[in-house]
Amino acid sequence: MPSKINKGLVLGFTSLGHFVNDGNTWVLPVAYAYMVKVYDMPAYMAGVFGLIFFGLGALFSPAVGKLMDSTGKPIRLIGLGAFLWALGLAVFGLGVKEYNVPIAILGAAVSGIASAFYHPLGSSALAITYEGSSGYAMGINGAMGSLGRSLYPSISTALFVALSDNYFLSLLVLAIVSLAVTLWSLFVP
């Protein structure tokens, strides 16, 4: 990234990306509880979904970091991760709506891969942009991730109630938010 880049724009983008990424990670567990309650899904399946989601996130994170090192384009890759989030949430939402466990597992898997993108890329974007003195920016960025984790369970539940108990539409709205991050990534140098 060139040194003349707008630092505030990169900080704003990465902070929003962190808010959405970390918020999305807390949407799925709320849906697991819903599936146990409404569809009498065995409770152990929540653990299976969690294993798939978090396990794939852990497995793919080093590969995403390596991809960043080879391309040097953290903002575009954050956009790709946000796109995968949108796809994963939509597929997962369809699986929840139809109580189709294989479809829900596919959505959780895509979402797990998507979750691997933000952290290595956001920190890289800030380190490059702030040229090694990114402590304050990282603090702001980290706060936005925490805010996403704290607000998204309530946001997803409020959407569910507002959309007449339609979990698919609720997750579709959150998928659209992820797509907005993808689109913004195309305009940040």
Side-chain angles (χ1 to χ4, degrees):
M1 280 188 219
S3 60
K4 61 183 175 186
I5 192 161
N6 182 328
K7 291 179 179 181
L9 183 62
V10 172
L11 178 58
F13 173 77
T14 57
S15 295
L16 176 66
H18 202 182
F19 178 84
V20 170
N21 181 80
D22 285 23
N24 282 343
T25 63
W26 284 92
V27 169
L28 275 69
V30 172
Y32 307 153
Y34 172 81
M35 292 169 77
V36 168
K37 181 178 180 186
V38 172
Y39 297 121
D40 287 328
M41 180 179 81
Y44 75 86
M45 284 300 295
V48 171
F49 278 108
L51 175 66
I52 291 166
F53 173 79
F54 288 110
L56 286 172
L59 284 173
F60 276 81
S61 193
V64 169
K66 189 169 178 76
L67 185 60
M68 164 51 215
D69 290 342
S70 68
T71 66
K73 299 193 178 292
I75 301 295
R76 297 299 181 271
L77 292 171
I78 290 170
L80 175 60
F83 174 78
L84 290 172
W85 262 119
L87 179 63
L89 289 174
V91 171
F92 183 78
L94 182 62
V96 171
K97 176 185 175 197
E98 303 295 329
Y99 188 55
N100 184 320
V101 173
I103 297 287
I105 285 174
L106 177 62
V110 172
S111 295
I113 293 167
S115 75
F117 277 71
Y118 179 77
H119 291 100
L121 300 170
S123 60
S124 292
L126 291 173
I128 292 166
T129 301
Y130 286 84
E131 300 172 339
S133 60
S134 59
Y136 183 68
M138 290 292 290
I140 292 170
N141 185 277
M144 290 300 290
S146 295
L147 195 58
R149 289 188 302 276
S150 66
L151 292 178
Y152 258 60
S154 296
I155 291 169
S156 64
T157 303
L159 282 170
F160 179 65
V161 170
L163 296 170
S164 303
D165 298 342
N166 188 323
Y167 226 97
F168 175 66
L169 285 179
S170 302
L171 290 176
L172 205 54
V173 168
L174 296 176
I176 290 167
V177 171
S178 292
L179 279 177
V181 173
T182 299
L183 291 174
W184 192 11
S185 76
L186 301 174
F187 299 99
V188 177

